[in-house]
Amino acid sequence: MQVSDENLVEHGMQARKTGRVLLLACGALAHEVLALKRINCWDHLDLQCLPAKLHNTPDAIPDAVASAFRARERAYAQVYVLYADCGTGGLLQAKCAELGIEMLEGPHCYSFFEGNAAFAARDEMTAFYLTDFLVRQFDAFVTKPLGLDRFPELRDMYFGNYEKLVYQAQTDDPGLTDLARGHAEALGLAFERRFTGYGDLETALMRL
């Protein structure tokens, strides 16, 4: 069914009146955000995910967020950006300030999942981190982009200065833990699992 421009405007006005919030999120956070919405009955939060592969080209994240914001801002009372800096070198924060919207605090998801203060206090320079998403998508985001499936001898060049793989678990899933341990073994790293839950991601959403 085709929706007229008048209906779109009416929908946007109604959304603003009812206080609906649009979450513009990294695709790597989709599972966690949907889980939090379900657990807490946050039905006023709508989720729009941008491709997780944008992390391979972080300079493109600010413009992608801005485009998504401009396309839907009139339909919502508030728009909130579920990205940390994510390698943009402050460009995303500057773009959000320009647009007048808030975003998650922290340098990256490993930090806000553990809690930004706790993560900064650890100061771990030789740890390689995985989240639930990255454990599941290890081949797509680590093995293949680094060419380890074709040239396994590159492993030590990439990971020779790391000492351990830290799996920041958002959920208690023995299958994911076993999978993460296998990734650590494949990289020749010691394995550590930390249950972080949703960390500062949940805290930020609670404020909305």
Side-chain angles (χ1 to χ4, degrees):
M1 180 176 69
Q2 190 171 10
V3 180
S4 69
D5 290 342
E6 290 181 357
N7 285 337
L8 284 174
V9 172
E10 182 178 352
H11 171 75
M13 293 176 63
Q14 185 63 28
R16 283 178 175 271
K17 288 179 181 178
T18 55
R20 299 200 68 78
V21 178
L22 175 64
L23 305 174
L24 292 179
C26 171
L29 300 178
H31 187 275
E32 287 70 30
V33 175
L34 290 174
L36 285 168
K37 275 172 50 67
R38 183 177 64 254
I39 293 167
N40 295 285
C41 299
W42 288 336
D43 296 331
H44 65 295
L45 302 180
D46 292 341
L47 175 64
Q48 178 181 342
C49 286
L50 279 64
K53 66 180 181 181
L54 282 172
H55 279 289
N56 295 332
T57 54
D59 287 350
I61 293 176
D63 285 344
V65 168
S67 295
F69 168 73
R70 292 183 178 116
R72 303 189 67 185
E73 61 171 315
R74 295 179 65 184
Y76 287 90
Q78 182 180 357
V79 178
Y80 192 87
V81 175
L82 292 182
Y83 275 91
D85 181 74
C86 299
T88 70
L91 294 177
L92 180 57
Q93 185 176 32
K95 179 63 69 173
C96 287
E98 174 189 325
L99 297 172
I101 53 179
E102 292 184 81
M103 61 179 282
L104 279 172
E105 294 183 7
H108 40 62
C109 61
Y110 313 121
S111 179
F112 67 66
F113 273 136
E114 186 151 340
N116 287 313
F119 186 88
R122 286 186 183 274
D123 193 26
E124 294 175 316
M125 300 298 294
T126 59
F128 182 72
Y129 298 94
L130 295 180
T131 62
D132 283 9
F133 174 85
L134 286 172
V135 170
R136 295 189 186 95
Q137 302 295 329
F138 188 82
D139 286 343
F141 282 83
V142 180
T143 304
K144 292 181 179 179
L146 295 180
L148 297 177
D149 54 332
R150 304 183 304 279
F151 307 104
E153 64 274 13
L154 293 175
R155 184 195 73 174
D156 292 342
M157 184 191 336
Y158 286 125
F159 296 96
N161 291 323
Y162 290 102
E163 296 177 356
K164 62 182 177 180
L165 183 151
V166 176
Y167 167 36
Q168 296 178 323
Q170 282 71 68
T171 55
D172 278 317
D173 187 328
L176 282 181
T177 299
D178 289 342
L179 193 58
R181 185 178 288 107
H183 297 329
E185 292 174 358
L187 297 179
L189 301 176
F191 177 69
E192 180 181 343
R193 178 188 182 274
R194 293 179 194 158
F195 180 76
T196 64
Y198 302 110
D200 288 349
L201 174 64
E202 183 171 15
T203 303
L205 292 181
M206 282 181 177
R207 293 198 298 267
L208 301 177

